[in-house]
Amino acid sequence: MTRSVFVINAGSSSLKYQLVDVDSGAALAGGLIERIGETTGEAKHQAPGIEKVVERRVIPDHEHAFGWVLRQFDQHGPSLDSAQLLGVGHRVVQGGARFDRAVRIDEDVQQQIEDLAPLAPLHNPANLQGIRSARATFPGYPHVAVFDTAFHLTIPPAAHRYAIEAQVAAEHRIRKYGFHGTSHQFVSRRMAELLGRPLDEVNTIVLHLGNGASATAVRGGRSVETSMGMTPLAGLVMGTRSGDIDPGVIFHLHRVAGLSIDEIDTLLNKRSGLLGMTGTGDMRDVLQAADAGIERAVEALEVVGHRLRGTVGAYLAHLGRTDAIAFTAGIGENAARVREIALEGLEGLGIVLDPERNAGRGERRISADGSAIEVWVVPTNEELEIARQVADLVG
Ligand code: ADP
């Protein structure tokens, strides 16, 4: 019999959902509603065996969005009644130093998510909106918050503390939190399965390379270092985010270039990274441009590769012994060239790619037989990870 979890990722003007069969891992249905609150929204609902539903219509708020979703399940299926819904899982971006695992949502948890909003002003309020509307839409089911940061709360102080005045850091909760935790957890656990070894004996470097990108060093199933920081702006080069930058650049942009703090925020979060360097934030276009010999695309890939190699090298040192490197997410799973440049020249550190395996598709080992450290592509599945955590908690 099916046991399912309804997984929700709510943004300020969007709602992504998936109904997940927790035992088989299959997506029973899913959809995306965009431009909520704008003059025309767009809503899509999809499930195996039914024709994809696409509608353009006004969707004033998240509650109306959920109303639309329920109607799709009623009219087009699959039937929510026969899906044996265990509960509803909510992706919440910032769980602070408080939430080291998924929790059942009550008024107190909602309040704490709200209290953490200053640390994630774009995300937590939107996640909360989703939670409130979903609790109204699915009363009588347990609702669970699964935090992007939770997996990283095992990072030791030496790695999560910033070297700033202690009192300021404490007062404003300034430290490394890290993000993409559900993905890093899913992939590192899967990596141990693929190696056929107990999770607590396996050390993995996970490279989650999507529009947002982060690396995590995982020792025995626990995150010990990660590249994003107090916010998702730190670390690797991303689609539109700069990743690591000298903080002094911000003062310079303000004092000398005359940009306001909000303008600098937009510059670093929305107009930097691949987009800022090449004019497109989409890796497929950057790769195509580089193949065509366009200089700024070639140079951007060099920056991406340099940053990745430096991160891998640092994490090899932090872990002391590394069993595997796992690539995941849109770029990590699909861009052979990026995987190649990420590990180029690391043969002396025991990392050797097999070009033919690297060019293949799907979950697989891509290192050469003699490589001391195995390299794999491991497709991530954040919805399934959220669904499993919900099932573990309430099932
Ligand atoms: P998000 O962080 O939004 O979930 P994804 O994990 O979907 O992002 O990754 C999006 C990125 O993956 C984009 O830069 C896209 O160009 C890249 N990507 C997707 N497919 C390919 C491909 N076949 N080759 C190269 N890059 C790809």
Side-chain angles (χ1 to χ4, degrees):
M1 198 204 289
T2 309
R3 298 184 314 148
S4 69
V5 169
F6 199 86
V7 177
I8 291 167
N9 185 353
S12 57
S13 64
S14 69
L15 177 69
K16 201 170 155 192
Y17 63 93
Q18 198 177 93
L19 182 67
V20 182
D21 178 333
V22 278
D23 299 308
S24 74
L28 303 171
L32 176 65
I33 299 167
E34 292 175 288
R35 297 196 288 280
I36 296 171
E38 295 178 26
T39 39
T40 1
E42 184 171 280
K44 293 179 204 150
H45 175 79
Q46 238 179 323
I50 67 158
E51 199 172 329
K52 185 174 175 178
V53 185
V54 183
E55 269 185 35
R56 279 178 196 84
R57 49 158 47 229
V58 184
I59 303 162
D61 53 32
H62 284 74
E63 235 159 287
H64 283 83
F66 276 112
W68 186 86
V69 174
L70 280 190
R71 282 200 300 285
Q72 305 319 302
F73 278 99
D74 277 349
Q75 289 170 14
H76 306 283
S79 145
L80 279 176
D81 290 334
S82 62
Q84 291 286 338
L85 203 56
L86 296 176
V88 182
H90 295 266
R91 178 187 181 200
V92 178
V93 167
Q94 179 55 273
R98 167 77 178 72
F99 294 108
D100 64 354
R101 66 198 65 195
V103 288
R104 205 159 162 156
I105 298 172
D106 56 19
E107 292 306 315
D108 178 48
V109 167
Q110 271 185 221
Q111 186 57 49
Q112 295 190 55
I113 294 171
E114 192 163 347
D115 293 344
L116 289 163
L119 290 171
L122 295 180
H123 293 109
N124 273 32
N127 299 154
L128 259 182
Q129 234 169 350
I131 289 171
R132 291 202 180 97
S133 309
R135 288 182 82 192
T137 310
F138 299 96
Y141 288 101
H143 287 250
V144 173
V146 180
F147 300 91
D148 253 29
T149 49
F151 182 58
H152 299 301
L153 274 192
T154 48
I155 291 178
H160 75 61
R161 278 192 191 135
Y162 294 125
I164 64 169
E165 202 174 303
Q167 202 190 328
V168 173
E171 190 180 336
H172 298 285
R173 298 178 284 185
I174 294 169
R175 52 166 280 178
K176 174 178 285 196
Y177 292 104
F179 299 89
H180 288 147
T182 47
S183 177
H184 288 292
Q185 186 167 12
F186 179 88
V187 171
S188 52
R189 197 187 295 149
R190 178 77 188 135
M191 194 64 254
E193 274 173 27
L194 289 164
L195 296 177
R197 290 169 53 191
L199 180 62
D200 60 3
E201 289 176 13
V202 173
N203 295 350
T204 302
I205 297 172
V206 181
L207 300 171
H208 175 113
L209 311 179
N211 282 317
S214 66
T216 295
V218 184
R219 177 181 292 127
R222 294 157 70 87
S223 171
V224 294
E225 175 61 298
T226 195
S227 61
M228 284 179 169
M230 184 183 99
T231 75
L233 182 54
L236 303 172
V237 177
M238 311 186 212
T240 66
R241 289 180 224 143
S242 62
D244 283 350
I245 193 167
D246 172 358
V249 171
I250 294 166
F251 313 134
H252 182 83
L253 287 170
H254 180 60
R255 294 187 187 126
V256 180
L259 269 60
S260 71
I261 287 298
D262 285 340
E263 285 167 339
I264 299 169
D265 188 332
T266 304
L267 175 74
L268 297 183
N269 273 298
K270 304 235 166 82
R271 289 172 35 217
S272 296
L274 294 178
L275 177 68
M277 287 190 291
T278 69
T280 169
D282 192 301
M283 183 55 92
R284 279 166 292 207
D285 298 334
V286 176
L287 289 167
Q288 217 169 30
D291 281 344
I294 294 169
E295 194 59 26
R296 57 186 185 168
V298 174
E299 283 172 7
L301 285 181
E302 283 169 4
V303 177
V304 167
H306 179 89
R307 189 86 51 95
L308 278 165
R309 289 191 299 276
T311 305
V312 169
Y315 291 9
L316 292 173
H318 291 317
L319 287 174
R321 189 207 81 226
T322 301
D323 300 291
I325 296 172
F327 284 92
T328 197
I331 297 169
E333 291 169 30
N334 298 299
R337 176 88 190 108
V338 176
R339 293 192 295 264
E340 187 187 317
I341 60 175
L343 303 177
E344 209 157 57
L346 303 190
E347 295 80 5
L349 298 174
I351 302 166
V352 187
L353 277 189
D354 178 299
E356 230 166 88
R357 289 177 190 155
N358 189 34
R361 298 197 67 77
E363 186 177 79
R364 67 199 183 281
R365 180 163 66 96
I366 59 171
S367 48
D369 290 342
S371 182
I373 295 172
E374 293 196 11
V375 186
W376 285 71
V377 170
V378 180
T380 192
N381 192 337
E382 291 170 273
E383 285 81 9
L384 177 56
E385 179 64 35
I386 291 173
R388 281 179 181 160
Q389 293 191 19
V390 173
D392 285 350
L393 199 67
V394 306

